[in-house]
Amino acid sequence: MNEILKLEQITKVFETEELETHALSGISLTIHQGEYVSISGPSGCGKSTLLSIMGLLDFATEGQYFIEGQDATSLTLNQAATVRNEKIGFIFQSFNLIDELSVFDNVALPLRYHSQKFNGKEIEKRVVTRLEQVGLSHRISHKPNQLSGGQQQRVAIARALIANPSILLVDEPTGNLDSKAGDQVMDLLEELNNQGTTICMVTHDPRYADMAKIKIQLLDGKVLHAPATKPLFN
Amino acid sequence: MKLFLFHLTLALKNLKHNKSYGFAVISTLALTLGALICALTLTFVMLYKPLPYPDQQQLTYVEHQLINNEQKIDGRAFTYPNLMHLYENHGTFSDVAMQYLDANIITSEPSKPFVEISYVTPEWFDIFAAKMQLGRRFEQSEKLNSYNPVAILSHQTWQDMFGAREDIIGYSISFGGKSFEVIGVLAAEFNELNLAAPGLKSAMFIPWDFNSVSDAERVRWGNDDGSLTFVGKLPTSISHTQASQRLSQLINDNWRLNIAEHNFFDNWSINIVTTPLSELLIQDNEQLLFLLVLGTLGLAIIAIANIANLYLARTVEQQHTLAINAAVGAPASGIISMVVAEAVILLTIALILSLLVAELGFSLMQTYLDSYLPRAAELSLNMFSVGVALAILFLLILLFIALNLRITNYRQLVTSLRSSGKGTKVQVSKKMRDILITSQVTIAIFLIFANGLLLLDAYKVMKKPLGYQTDNIHSLVMALPNANQGMREDTMQSLIREIMAHPSVAAVSQSHRPSAFYTLAFTEQQSGRKYSERAKDIDENYFALVGQPIIAGENVENKHRNDELRGIVVNEQLARKMSPDGDVIGLKINNSSYVSGIVKSIIVPGQKAPEPRFYFLSQASRNILLIKTKPNQTLSRDAILAIASDISPQLNIFSYHPIEHYKDTRLFASKTTTITTLTLIVVTLLLCSIGLYGILKYNSEMRRFEIGTRIAIGAKARDIIKLVCGENIKPLILGIVINLLIISTGFYIYSEQLNEYINQQLIWIFLISLITVSAFVLVASYLPVRKYINQPAIFCLRGDD
């Protein structure tokens, strides 16, 4: 299987004038194409920091990081933006939809920043396809605040998928949802993985962590438990 | 109320930790509202406040218009005999007074001060209800033709020149070879209104009989003199139109009889116009005041918009504190009271300081604009100023409450502590942001454009080449002792020789300074055409001394002073006026002169274009000299006094100034305009940039998560810059369109008044204003998002710095 993400001895230190906090200490892992990985652990263990570094939202203090074999350790902000746009799809706990934009425009947004220029028809075709995939094509003209929390998260999933990324990075996808909507979202993610989408999800809910095929547990910035069945960790 | 007092105490404590916010609000409002209160008070005093004299609505200024044969106004000043005729025969007013303004050297005082002197009839003191500090006013004993040599001192003169001595009554002062006994001192609170020169204060008052108009001038019916003024009390039963008709008839009939022998005045007439004194004092100031109020109001609006922005940002910043208060039970009104308490403290301090700024403005106007603003002396903080300040305070508090009600969602605020904490419960709508940006842009472009137009115009006037030199040239006016013509000639010629002999002197001319002219009438004999033109007496050295080239014919020559036919030199404008081809050499003038030469025209400082002028030979006794010193050398006043005292101990200096001084005086209005407009442009840009930055900063603060999301899904720095700039272009364009509408409407409605400004430069100035403000908008758009696009995306999404 192809390597999608590869982290080698990743360390993240947050520094203030008085304090130095080691959020991550020497994390190494590899995620292959088609895998469904969950990262869980107690609050403050570093799971969101790890996800941010994997998604190039933040940079590691030490260590090396590869995306599809390409060294992403020392990318500039603009290069990182390009990689995020084309290879990574994000799903946030608080959805992060833009209130002023319609569902269509929210979903289409990554394509507007894409290096490949899409024409209107192509954008519309892709948006409709993705919204159908998440079961929201009938809400295409709505504004996010006209949707329920579960619907908003599904729009966010459609947005994450629009540019055909190599991997979906999912941060506490059910954190702002009730259990019914949360279950629906998790079912959708599972379905996407079954269709071949690589997913790496951060969650503190053991029930949802168990839905992943590969489970990683973090504690104090270090890996506490990793499965032995696959060569995920060096 | 108790809650509000608690909030005030709390707000005071909070403001101690937010000094920069407090300083920004107080300083911006104090300066701009101070300027606005100053302009509004000035307008009130000039346009609406009654004059500080009894029966002020009856006080009437009488203007004497000399109408030429083309039915145009040739002059607006009285001729001496017409004034006297009016005074003695008016039959219209309940009370009348004459005033003649002059200046002289007080020879009885050791410092020989040069002071302004008013010659008045006794009624002058009654009409203006002059209060006395000491002694008495002029009475019947000082009436016309009484020749009683007495004087009344102004309060200022009494203090400055005589040390406020209590025994001044009976003291003798001398000038012009005569002595006058002091009979009174005016009270400090008396506010003199000088009709000949508004703003100018007389040092002393002398009975009319002693005025310095020469015996010859007193019987000349065709020579007007701007120093002669006439004021009367018009009974309410007579309208100004009736008075004007009646007096015009009276003066015209008498004048026609007396000038019948002068052909020059065929078809000329006199028109008498009566104007309420209060209206006269407004003169052209109404438009100026309107512009001043408009300018300061514009600045105040920008400042208030800026403060509103800061206030909104401050409210957004306080949302967590507000939420806690709401959660523990503060009602909606309590939340409003909490936020408004800070504003009330800041606004009150700012308004108090703005009154002090206004007071400073009054004293600056009284110091520097006294001669342009006739009632500047009445400027002070009064009920009107305080009323305006309180009204502004009230309106601003209302505005801030309204803003608060609009942006604070109390319901969301109450529940906000239970939610994730991301997002904001205090929201400034996009519409409101756009309105704020559009208002800033509209006012800024308009103020920069209007000030730019005035600035360029004033600058062009200042920088216009004059066509004559000013370096190392002084104008000297001598006070000659009483003597016959021959002795005066000898004295002046001796003085010229001695000054010329001084090692530092390069040239001397018996002429007035280049910018000083008076109006003289003449008839060109060949065509019989009559002219009334600006003229000056000079000697043969004048043109060489000031570097004004003669372009045709010959200069005047001193040796022809006593010839029956003397040469005059006309400038290019007059030559073309007299003959379209400009060929005027040899034309005879008034049977006593002929055109001997044509000289290149000059521009008098402050004027935009040269006007027709002519130069004729001065008398050998003329007491005015131009002195040019050698480079890097000077000739002091003391050195001239030493030379003069060797010739005659009674020879004194009237005035001695570099001609640059007169140029500066004439350019005062242009310089003031340049400085004021430049300051207004800088202040406008400063306020506008602060305002725009404020709006866009809290705008981007509120959009932090949105920007973070965009960056997270792949937006690059340029995409974010394009986004925020693009969003601000709409209100920018709207501001530009509103400006285009206002300006084009203004130029359409006031096309006559603004005609001189309508040219190609207008477009350039508008474009520059537009580009400058647009650049400020774009920079102000970029700066707040800079910190987001130059950091990893997580910085925006994390929600802290």
Side-chain angles (χ1 to χ4, degrees), chain A residues 14 52 56-59 77-78 81-82 84-85 90 92 94-98 100-101 106 109-110 112-115 159 176, chain B residues 420 422 430 433 703 705-706 708-720 723 789-795 797-798:
Chain A
F14 292 110
S52 296
L56 292 173
L57 296 177
D58 203 356
F59 295 98
L77 290 174
N78 276 344
T82 306
R84 275 199 307 271
N85 181 254
F90 275 103
F92 301 96
S94 51
F95 328 132
N96 284 1
L97 297 177
I98 295 167
E100 288 78 21
L101 303 182
N106 264 293
L109 199 56
R112 314 270 182 208
Y113 301 130
H114 206 280
S115 58
R159 181 179 67 185
N176 282 4
Chain B
S420 71
K422 289 183 177 178
K430 188 174 184 305
R433 291 196 300 266
R703 297 179 62 184
F705 292 105
E706 182 208 323
T709 305
R710 285 178 185 269
I711 294 173
I713 60 176
K716 297 176 191 68
R718 65 164 185 273
D719 296 319
I720 300 299
L723 175 79
I789 58 178
N790 289 330
Q791 305 234 33
I794 195 69
F795 173 77
L797 294 170
R798 213 163 34 210

Side-chain angles (χ1 to χ4, degrees), chain B residues 390-447:
Chain B
L390 287 176
I392 292 173
L393 178 66
F394 181 68
L395 287 175
L396 286 180
I397 290 173
L398 281 185
L399 169 76
F400 284 12
I401 291 174
L403 277 177
N404 223 294
L405 287 172
R406 209 177 161 88
I407 65 167
T408 309
N409 186 330
Y410 182 72
R411 209 174 283 249
Q412 281 190 25
L413 206 58
V414 173
T415 56
S416 67
L417 289 180
R418 281 191 281 124
S419 66
S420 71
K422 289 183 177 178
T424 172
K425 308 316 161 229
V426 181
Q427 282 288 353
V428 181
S429 70
K430 188 174 184 305
K431 191 177 167 191
M432 188 188 280
R433 291 196 300 266
D434 284 356
I435 289 172
L436 286 171
I437 296 172
T438 305
S439 62
Q440 292 269 343
V441 166
T442 307
I443 298 169
I445 291 179
F446 182 77
L447 283 182

Side-chain angles (χ1 to χ4, degrees), chain A residues 41-47 204:
Chain A
S43 184
C45 69
K47 48 188 191 299
H204 65 274

Side-chain angles (χ1 to χ4, degrees), chain B residues 240-403:
Chain B
H240 283 280
T241 315
Q242 286 171 327
S244 297
Q245 281 172 353
R246 207 183 280 183
L247 297 174
S248 294
Q249 179 82 41
L250 171 79
I251 296 299
N252 222 16
D253 290 350
N254 186 56
W255 185 70
R256 293 240 46 92
L257 281 176
N258 285 285
I259 48 98
E261 62 194 75
H262 302 286
N263 292 337
F264 183 87
F265 291 112
D266 287 351
N267 299 321
W268 285 52
S269 62
I270 303 290
N271 190 29
I272 298 290
V273 179
T274 66
T275 319
L277 206 53
S278 51
E279 276 181 30
L280 170 84
L281 295 177
I282 297 168
Q283 292 174 346
D284 303 332
N285 289 323
E286 202 164 355
Q287 203 175 356
L288 182 78
L289 290 170
F290 175 70
L291 287 175
L292 194 65
V293 169
L294 205 67
T296 50
L297 187 66
L299 282 183
I301 290 173
I302 295 185
I304 290 168
N306 290 352
I307 300 306
N309 296 335
L310 287 175
Y311 178 75
L312 293 175
R314 174 87 180 132
T315 311
V316 169
E317 190 183 294
Q318 284 180 305
Q319 64 168 318
H320 188 65
T321 316
L322 298 179
I324 292 170
N325 276 273
V328 298
S333 60
I335 296 295
I336 301 289
S337 139
M338 193 179 160
V339 187
V340 169
E342 260 190 26
V344 169
I345 292 172
L346 294 174
L347 289 175
T348 308
I349 298 172
L351 261 295
I352 292 169
L353 287 177
S354 72
L355 288 174
L356 296 177
V357 170
E359 183 65 41
L360 179 72
F362 297 150
S363 69
L364 284 175
M365 280 195 262
Q366 280 159 352
T367 308
Y368 297 106
L369 299 174
D370 205 28
S371 50
Y372 298 92
L373 303 170
R375 299 182 71 183
E378 292 176 52
L379 283 173
S380 66
L381 284 181
N382 51 28
M383 290 303 288
F384 178 81
S385 325
V386 177
V388 167
L390 287 176
I392 292 173
L393 178 66
F394 181 68
L395 287 175
L396 286 180
I397 290 173
L398 281 185
L399 169 76
F400 284 12
I401 291 174
L403 277 177

